[in-house]
Amino acid sequence: MDDASQSRPPRPGDEPGAVPPADVPTLLVKIFGKDRPGITAGLFDTLAAYGVDVVDIEQVVTRGRIVLCALVTAPARGAEGDLRATVHGWAESMRLQAEIISGIGDNRPRGEGRSHVTVLGQPLTAESTAAIAALITGAGGNIDRIFRLAKYPVTAVEFAVSGAEPAVLRSALAPQAAARGVDVAVVPAGLQRRAQRLVVMDVDSTVIQDEVIELFAAHAGCEAEVAGVTAAAMRGELDFEQSLHARVALLAGLDASVVDKVRTEVRLTPGARTLIRTLKRLGYQVGVVSGGFTQVTDDLKERLGLDFAAANTLEVVDGRLTGRVTGPIVDRAGKARLLREFAAQAGVPLSQTVAVGDGANDLDMLNAAGLGVAFNAKPLVRQAADTAVNVPFLDTVLYLLGITREEVEAADALDGVPTTP
């Protein structure tokens, strides 16, 4: 043991694992400059000669520049001046700058109410970042930490915020997000964010880029008629079930072999494979619910390794579509019911579910889930959901769960998967 350590008088909290009391003198040592190997070890080797204890450490490297902050207990009485001179001398020898600030105790306690605020931009401008930060402050929140989750295909950063309840933050940020050209998600902090989850997604215009009924209609030569029924439903003249029956009736007589053709025409949304592959690696369970047809969703379940899939079923008799569907209709209420059923089968509480969708018939499901994500949705859906993503990459949902692009790519590299959406 060195002399400085022997000469330091015992302090309250010296027992192993104890937190230094608020009245213990501490030093904040800040080192910044060009990054190179050995800086962290060198700083703490220098401090070790004075027998100080480490209270907190924070290190960030951005474009080759390091900022290293160490909060340590003050050395024995009379040794602080020597410590300062030694640290400054070491920093100069490393071509770094040093700043040392005296104080008392640890960091101030974080305020009640803790959240992760994820901001997505394409690009993320300084103006929008300033606006989001100001809104967080205006809602009573304090930004404790910021770090980048992804740099492409969108820029995603996460703010760790304390002092404001998640619901308050969401109310303050959501109305301004679209106007600022960014997507903002507010998720409560805590262990639940790391727990196993169930993610359930809509299919048409969410997991895939297409509307399946329109793919079938193209083969039946009735695209215009189907589009007309869809427009009537959008105007509120037909509910979902009515519009479904009306559109499916137009497919009557179509040869069932068209199912295979439609399956080949389905285009996955960019990032869909990456999202599902990563969620499965993490032990999440993943499902889809659709107002479309099992003839397509069953194929997606097999191709993508999904745990659950549910949709309407086109009736086939003597090798042709009858223009009817069989079984219970998967509509707006049906999607929420299936979310609950999937959660029960998966053994996941509803609070740990994530639902992703784009249409009005997804609203009940989005509202029932622990986190509802509106993906490139209509304004009504964006306003009702917990958060909205308005970029064409489905794997951006990963960032809302705190998963970084680097972690995704590192896992893909280990498995030999190309780093593409």
Side-chain angles (χ1 to χ4, degrees):
M1 183 178 293
D2 54 73
D3 292 340
S5 177
Q6 290 178 341
S7 63
R8 176 174 67 79
R11 294 191 294 260
D14 273 357
E15 61 272 16
V19 177
D23 59 350
V24 168
T26 52
L27 298 177
L28 174 61
V29 181
K30 179 180 178 182
I31 302 296
F32 47 99
K34 185 177 180 180
D35 188 31
R36 63 176 65 84
I39 290 176
T40 305
L43 173 63
F44 285 98
D45 276 344
T46 303
L47 293 172
Y50 296 90
V52 299
D53 301 329
V54 177
V55 179
D56 195 5
I57 308 172
E58 192 83 32
Q59 179 173 306
V60 177
V61 177
T62 304
R63 210 183 68 178
R65 308 295 292 184
I66 187 172
V67 178
L68 169 59
C69 293
L71 185 64
V72 299
T73 55
R77 187 176 293 108
E80 182 176 328
D82 188 47
L83 179 150
R84 286 174 175 269
T86 302
V87 169
H88 280 285
W90 168 81
E92 186 176 345
S93 72
M94 296 289 289
R95 297 182 181 178
L96 300 167
Q97 293 177 277
E99 181 181 5
I100 303 174
I101 303 171
S102 300
I104 299 294
D106 197 351
N107 305 308
R108 68 179 183 180
R110 295 179 65 191
E112 292 297 322
R114 300 181 184 180
S115 306
H116 299 284
V117 178
T118 306
V119 182
L120 310 178
Q122 195 185 29
L124 181 61
T125 66
E127 181 182 6
S128 61
T129 304
I132 294 300
L135 289 167
I136 290 172
T137 302
N142 184 72
I143 300 172
D144 301 316
R145 185 173 295 121
I146 306 173
F147 62 94
R148 186 175 68 184
L149 294 166
K151 61 182 178 181
Y152 76 92
V154 300
T155 300
V157 296
E158 182 173 286
F159 296 75
V161 178
S162 62
E165 291 300 322
V168 174
L169 277 177
R170 189 176 293 126
S171 296
L173 295 172
Q176 296 293 325
R180 302 292 179 179
V182 296
D183 297 328
V184 178
V186 180
V187 180
L191 289 176
Q192 62 183 16
R193 199 183 192 207
R194 297 178 176 85
Q196 184 190 52
R197 290 193 177 190
L198 167 68
V199 178
V200 177
M201 297 176 284
D202 172 46
V203 176
D204 292 11
S205 299
T206 301
V207 173
I208 66 174
Q209 300 177 59
D210 312 283
E211 294 289 328
V212 169
I213 185 70
E214 293 179 5
L215 296 179
F216 277 100
H219 290 280
C222 58
E223 290 175 273
E225 293 89 338
V226 165
V229 175
T230 301
M234 293 294 288
R235 291 193 300 266
E237 298 170 6
L238 295 172
D239 64 19
F240 178 81
E241 185 170 349
Q242 289 175 313
S243 70
L244 176 68
H245 288 307
R247 287 178 288 180
V248 171
L250 295 170
L251 306 181
L254 195 60
D255 193 287
S257 63
V258 76
V259 168
D260 291 332
K261 296 176 182 177
V262 167
R263 286 175 174 174
T264 63
E265 292 167 353
V266 164
R267 300 168 299 161
L268 291 174
T269 297
R273 287 187 183 278
T274 301
L275 170 63
I276 295 167
R277 180 172 65 243
T278 303
L279 292 174
K280 297 295 291 180
R281 282 191 183 121
L282 293 169
Y284 287 27
Q285 297 191 58
V286 186
V288 294
V289 291
S290 176
F293 311 111
T294 57
Q295 282 84 351
V296 171
T297 58
D298 287 350
D299 180 60
L300 289 173
K301 181 181 179 183
E302 182 177 351
R303 286 166 54 195
L304 300 175
L306 301 171
D307 299 285
F308 305 99
N312 301 299
T313 299
L314 292 168
E315 184 182 63
V316 178
V317 175
D318 296 330
R320 292 191 177 276
L321 303 188
T322 66
R324 297 187 294 270
V325 292
T326 63
I329 297 298
V330 178
D331 55 7
R332 176 170 169 169
K335 287 187 174 186
R337 172 180 54 79
L338 286 162
L339 171 71
R340 294 185 176 93
E341 290 180 6
F342 293 169
Q345 293 175 44
V348 174
L350 205 58
S351 61
Q352 288 300 114
T353 61
V354 179
V356 186
D358 74 299
N361 65 331
D362 297 315
L363 277 173
D364 289 2
M365 176 177 73
L366 297 181
N367 290 331
L371 175 65
V373 181
F375 181 72
N376 291 312
K378 299 293 189 293
L380 174 67
V381 181
R382 290 202 304 267
Q383 292 167 10
D386 294 321
T387 188
V389 172
N390 295 297
V391 294
F393 309 105
L394 193 58
D395 53 342
T396 53
V397 172
L398 294 170
Y399 311 144
L400 308 184
L401 304 177
I403 301 164
T404 70
R405 188 79 194 179
E406 287 183 348
E407 290 170 327
V408 173
E409 292 184 350
D412 281 347
L414 287 174
D415 291 344
V417 178
T419 56
T420 59

